[in-house]
Amino acid sequence: MGGAGKILKKGLGEMGLNSGGGNINWFPGHMAAATRAINARLKLADLVIEVRDSRIPLSSANQDLQPRLSTKLRVIALNKKDLANPNIMHLLELVELKLKEKIAKEPTLIVMVVGVPNVGKSALINCIHQVASSRFPAQEKKKRAKVGPLPGVTQDIAGFKIALRPSIYVLDTPGVLVPTIPDIETGLKLALTGSVKDSVVGEERIAQYLLAVLNTRRTPFHWRNVHDNNSKSPQNGTDDKHDYNLKDLLPKRRILPVASNVHYVEGVAKEVQCALYSSLSEFKGDLEDENELEILIEQQFEELQKALKISNKATEARMMVSKKFLTLFRAGKLGPFILDDVPL
């Protein structure tokens, strides 16, 4: 277990994620009911699309479902990277390939989409709808799946028709986790990527974990050019007051950020990257020592508060820092990341 794991074991062990949730109810009743419903309907599915988060391709697999999924025709789709039409076209072609023999024999086929919460199942289905409507003419009017930035938007199993001849239905299922998360770090990865609600784990804990990961991987050193360029520029555009909220970066229907606000957020992200680069560059301790890593993270919270321009008088300054920092990460403004140790 590296530095990030050590600080989690020391400072975040009270979460109880490795002992069935402890005093934190992260496995609500609807999730248990959804798991039973998914298992009951799996036997009806001709193909299963298992959606995983590309940032945590291993941690975002529901291990309790794997024995059942391994017996079905299955496609594993890594989401949260790029949902452009070419990828969806490739996915549809792969689905057709998997179902080639059954398409010739069965008049109706069922494709089930499964995955942990907030991994992008409903958004994926909506993209499939758009492409399928152009590929299969004379479609009936189709419902759209509900999409939201928080886990738990889909809480029941819904069927959507995506093709007429042959009739192909897609079943959108609620995101479900395992009743027992195997270790603290897996739980924190799921929380960091939004599969577990922030209120369940705590924004400060999640932000602390993200800082531990960035530091032990020396990621801020990759932002040296951002720091150098920012230092040369006397005005970086983040001093002006804006009423733009970082939450607006999260997915919303029919609402696009104004260009000036996007530039402002880009400037905020650069300030954050510069603050983390400077603090890590000046750090003389041992990142593998959990006590020294904790000291660094405390210093970085102070630097982030300055970079994000949060007043010292704010009663919940640390919480505000955590929320804005996590929003920048989840919106991809700090760059792409793979949090799992994926074998090459």
Side-chain angles (χ1 to χ4, degrees):
M1 183 179 286
K6 289 179 181 177
I7 196 170
L8 291 176
K9 186 175 181 180
K10 178 180 179 182
L12 303 176
E14 69 273 15
M15 286 175 57
L17 285 172
N18 57 342
S19 58
N23 59 356
I24 297 177
N25 183 23
W26 55 268
F27 189 75
H30 83 267
M31 203 173 284
T35 301
R36 292 192 295 269
I38 289 171
N39 278 316
R41 287 168 173 77
L42 269 174
K43 58 186 177 184
L44 303 176
D46 298 290
L47 174 75
V48 176
I49 300 176
E50 182 187 1
V51 185
R52 300 185 188 180
D53 192 315
S54 61
R55 296 166 295 181
I56 49 171
L58 304 179
S59 298
S60 58
N62 186 316
Q63 296 301 327
D64 280 6
L65 291 178
Q66 295 307 307
R68 294 290 305 276
L69 296 180
S70 64
T71 65
K72 309 291 294 186
L73 284 174
R74 174 171 56 162
V75 174
I76 297 177
L78 296 181
N79 205 2
K80 299 282 181 149
K81 184 175 185 292
D82 184 10
L83 278 179
N85 278 354
N87 284 344
I88 300 300
M89 290 290 291
H90 177 68
L91 178 60
L92 284 178
E93 291 168 0
L94 192 55
V95 168
E96 288 183 352
L97 180 63
K98 290 276 188 179
L99 294 175
K100 189 174 181 180
E101 291 185 7
K102 289 194 174 185
I103 285 177
K105 300 177 183 178
E106 301 289 341
T108 301
L109 299 171
I110 297 176
V111 177
M112 178 177 278
V113 181
V114 300
V116 299
N118 201 32
V119 79
K121 298 181 296 297
S122 297
L124 181 70
I125 287 176
N126 286 336
C127 289
I128 291 175
H129 277 184
Q130 294 174 6
V131 176
S133 62
S134 63
R135 296 191 63 193
F136 302 101
Q139 290 288 309
E140 299 174 7
K141 187 175 181 180
K142 302 174 290 293
K143 288 180 62 180
R144 294 177 63 86
K146 292 182 180 179
V147 179
L150 299 176
V153 172
T154 305
Q155 295 198 0
D156 57 1
I157 295 179
F160 304 91
K161 191 172 186 178
I162 65 167
L164 189 60
R165 289 185 292 271
S167 293
I168 300 179
Y169 291 85
V170 170
L171 297 184
D172 185 15
T173 62
V176 293
L177 295 167
V178 293
T180 302
I181 293 179
D183 60 82
I184 293 174
E185 193 156 8
T186 297
L188 266 290
K189 288 176 183 177
L190 290 167
L192 178 56
T193 54
S195 290
V196 177
K197 290 182 178 180
D198 289 349
S199 58
V200 172
V201 178
E203 288 89 345
E204 292 183 37
R205 288 173 174 172
I206 304 172
Q208 185 183 23
Y209 169 67
L210 176 55
L211 286 171
V213 170
L214 294 177
N215 289 321
T216 54
R217 292 185 177 186
R218 279 72 170 176
T219 300
F221 287 139
H222 296 296
W223 299 331
R224 178 176 178 177
N225 289 338
V226 176
H227 175 270
D228 293 345
N229 293 335
N230 209 49
S231 299
K232 295 175 184 177
S233 176
Q235 294 182 348
N236 49 41
T238 59
D239 291 331
D240 297 332
K241 291 185 178 180
H242 291 258
D243 58 1
Y244 178 64
N245 195 322
L246 284 172
K247 290 182 180 179
D248 292 338
L249 284 173
L250 299 175
K252 291 182 180 180
R253 288 186 184 178
R254 302 187 184 94
I255 298 178
L256 295 175
V258 179
S260 60
N261 289 333
V262 173
H263 291 310
Y264 167 66
V265 172
E266 297 289 349
V268 172
K270 289 180 181 179
E271 289 292 326
V272 167
Q273 290 174 322
C274 291
L276 296 182
Y277 169 78
S278 297
S279 58
L280 184 57
S281 298
E282 296 168 3
F283 178 66
K284 304 302 180 184
D286 181 6
L287 290 173
E288 298 301 319
D289 185 301
E290 61 266 31
N291 293 316
E292 295 187 19
L293 180 58
E294 277 187 298
I295 293 173
L296 171 61
I297 289 175
E298 288 302 309
Q299 293 173 348
Q300 288 177 325
F301 264 104
E302 295 178 6
E303 294 302 316
L304 286 174
Q305 184 172 341
K306 297 175 185 176
L308 294 168
K309 300 189 176 358
I310 296 174
S311 171
N312 290 323
K313 298 180 181 179
T315 56
E316 297 185 353
R318 194 177 177 93
M319 177 68 72
M320 294 169 64
V321 168
S322 300
K323 287 184 176 181
K324 292 190 175 184
F325 182 46
L326 292 175
T327 298
L328 288 172
F329 169 81
R330 289 165 178 166
K333 298 302 178 182
L334 301 181
F337 291 90
I338 297 179
L339 300 172
D340 280 339
D341 294 324
V342 181
L344 299 177

